[in-house]
Amino acid sequence: MTTQTRFPLAIQGAQPRFHEPVHVGRPNTGDRSTFIAHIEAMLDRKWLTNNGPLVQEFEQRVARDLGVRHCVAMCNGTVALEIAIRALGLTGEVIVPSWTFIATAHALAWQGITPVFADIDPGTHNLSPESVRAAITPSTTGIIAVHTWGRPADIEALSDIAEEHDLQLMFDAAHAYRCTHRGKRIGSFGACEVLSFHATKVFNTLEGGAVVTNDDVLADTMRLMRNFGFAGYDNVIHDGTNGKMVEASAAMGLTNLEALSSFVEANRIRYEIYRDRLADVPGVELVLYDEREENNYHYIVAAVDIPSRVTRDQLIDVLHAENILARKYFWPGCHRMKTYTGTAPTVSLQHTEQVAERNIVLPSGPSLTVDDVHLICDVIAFACERGIEHP
Ligand code: T4K
C-alpha cells in the first residue's frame, strides 16, 4: 500500500506524518507472561545474580543456537569486549574499523591499548583486508573485525592475515546474532566472537552481552574474569572485574530467544518493502543482505547521494520533522570522535569518510507496521525526487 504524499512536508510547517516518533532500535520483546513467570520464579528463589540458574540456562541455549561450545554471558557487549581483549592478552596496537560503534574502539583504549583504525569496503561496510595489512606495525597484536549490520566480515582473508603475522583475530558480532557465513552461524569464528544483547538489538536481554568461543581455556579464563577472578569462596586466582549478567536479563533473554524467529521474519518483511520501494528512488542505495545466507534483517541501511535532490543530512532533517527518527550511525567514524582526533590515522580512511557522509539507518522491526514502512518510503521518495524546496 502507498499513501499519497501530501504537501507541504512537516519541515515546511505541516503536522508531522507520524504523531508518535518511530525509532531505529525499538526493543523486540517476546511473550510477557513467559517473562513474568521467569521473574516470579527468580523472586521465589531469591537468587538474582552471580551465575544463577537462568543465566546458566541462557548460556546453554545460546551456545546450542549458535553451534559453539561456550557462551560466557556478561552484563553488556562493551564489558564482554573488554574481557575478551584482556583474556586474549592483546596489548600495544589492535586494528579495528573506524566505521563501528564507539564501543569497539573504547574497549581497547579503556585498557591502554591503541585502536588503529583501518578502512572499510564501501559496498559491505566491513573491514578491508588490504587496509588491515597496511595498518600492521611491529606493535600490532590483534585484529577486531566487526560483522557490520549483521553482514559477516571477510573472515577468510582476515584469518590469513592474522596467521601470516601471528596476530589474534576476534570478532565484534554485536549486530550478527542469527546471521550465517557460508551457512554457518556467526559465533564460532576467530578466537572468539562478542555478542551484544542491548535493548536495541535484534535479540535483547535488556542490557547484556556474551563472548562465544570454542576455546575451553579462553572460556574458563573469561568466566573467572567476569567474577573478580574468584574460583570459589575467598579464593581469587585471576585479575577480574564485575561483568556478570543478572538473572532478570537472562529471563528476558530466554523469553526473547523463543520469539526470535518471529522478530527476524517481521524484519525480513519490512526489509523487503524498503528494498522494493527504494529501488527506483534516485540516489538511494540500500545495503543489501546476501540472500544465500541466514540474515537477521535488523538494520535497514542506505547511502544517500547524487542524483537525490536532498543530501543525507537534509533527508535526516525531513524524516525527523516527520517524527521518523532515522540515524546517521556511525557518523562521523570513530577516528573523528573527540577522544581519537589527537592521533592521525595511519592509513587512508577514504571509504569510511565517504560512507559516513552518506549513510542513513532507517526505523524497522516488529514495532513498526508495514503501513508505517510504506509511509516512510513515501517520505524518502518524495524528498529525494522533489527536494525540500518544492512548493
Ligand atoms: N559493538 C557494536 C558494533 C555495537 O553496535 C555496540 C552497540 C556495541 C559493540 C556495544 O554493545 P553494548 O555495550 O551496547 O551491549 C545504541 C545502543 O545503545 C548500542 O547498544 C548499539 N551498539 C548502538 C548501535 O546503538 P545509541 O547511543 O544510539 O542509543 P540511543 O539511546 O540513542 O537509542 C537508539 C534508539 O533506540 C533510539 O531511537 C531510541 C530507541 N530505544 C532505545 C532504548 C535503550 C528505545 O526505543 N527503547 C530503549 O529502551 O546506541
Side-chain angles (χ1 to χ4, degrees), residues 22-27 75-81 99-105 146-149 172-175 194-201 206-210 299 325-327 329-330 367:
V22 286
H23 295 267
V24 174
R26 209 72 173 141
C75 54
N76 60 54
T78 305
V79 168
L81 278 168
W99 188 242
T100 179
F101 189 62
I102 198 69
T104 320
V146 180
H147 302 303
T148 317
W149 316 126
D172 178 338
H175 299 175
V194 176
L195 307 169
S196 166
F197 303 118
H198 183 261
T200 56
K201 295 291 186 282
L206 308 171
E207 287 268 7
Y299 287 105
L325 302 188
R327 299 292 295 260
Y329 292 134
F330 300 108
S367 66

Side-chain angles (χ1 to χ4, degrees), residues 109-285:
W110 192 247
Q111 0 199 12
I113 301 168
T114 306
V116 173
F117 297 115
D119 210 0
I120 51 166
D121 174 321
T124 64
H125 292 202
N126 275 325
L127 204 49
S128 147
E130 295 71 36
S131 181
V132 169
R133 270 188 198 284
I136 294 173
T137 75
S139 303
T140 309
T141 59
I143 304 166
I144 305 180
V146 180
H147 302 303
T148 317
W149 316 126
R151 297 180 58 106
D154 192 341
I155 294 171
E156 283 70 28
L158 293 170
S159 303
D160 288 348
I161 295 172
E163 203 172 319
E164 221 175 285
H165 293 267
D166 197 20
L167 304 175
Q168 294 280 9
L169 173 64
M170 59 177 272
F171 293 96
D172 178 338
H175 299 175
Y177 200 94
R178 283 270 175 100
C179 297
T180 58
H181 173 66
R182 300 189 177 173
K184 186 173 165 190
R185 282 197 175 151
I186 292 299
S188 50
F189 295 103
C192 62
E193 304 212 55
V194 176
L195 307 169
S196 166
F197 303 118
H198 183 261
T200 56
K201 295 291 186 282
V202 65
F203 171 28
N204 86 80
T205 63
L206 308 171
E207 287 268 7
V211 188
V212 280
T213 182
N214 284 319
D215 183 329
D216 300 349
V217 176
L218 186 66
D220 285 349
T221 305
M222 291 187 299
R223 285 185 196 287
L224 286 170
M225 288 176 114
R226 74 168 173 189
N227 188 28
F228 314 100
F230 273 111
Y233 286 155
D234 311 322
N235 185 23
V236 174
I237 61 165
H238 209 286
D239 62 345
T241 184
N242 184 352
K244 291 170 271 115
M245 177 180 273
V246 296
E247 287 288 273
S249 283
M252 187 60 140
L254 290 167
T255 306
N256 287 341
L257 194 53
E258 276 177 34
L260 185 55
S261 298
S262 69
F263 302 153
V264 170
E265 178 58 9
N267 285 349
R268 188 188 60 76
I269 290 167
R270 284 149 188 76
Y271 162 73
E272 287 179 358
I273 296 170
Y274 275 118
R275 184 196 60 195
D276 297 347
R277 290 284 320 278
L278 299 180
D280 297 326
V281 174
V284 175
E285 200 174 325

Side-chain angles (χ1 to χ4, degrees), residues 64-111:
R64 208 179 316 138
D65 194 44
L66 300 183
V68 62
R69 281 171 68 81
H70 304 281
C71 168
V72 185
M74 310 265 186
C75 54
N76 60 54
T78 305
V79 168
L81 278 168
E82 289 169 6
I83 287 179
I85 287 164
R86 285 182 88 89
L88 284 175
L90 300 184
T91 56
E93 296 176 1
V94 172
I95 299 170
V96 289
S98 170
W99 188 242
T100 179
F101 189 62
I102 198 69
T104 320
H106 273 3
L108 292 161
W110 192 247
Q111 0 199 12

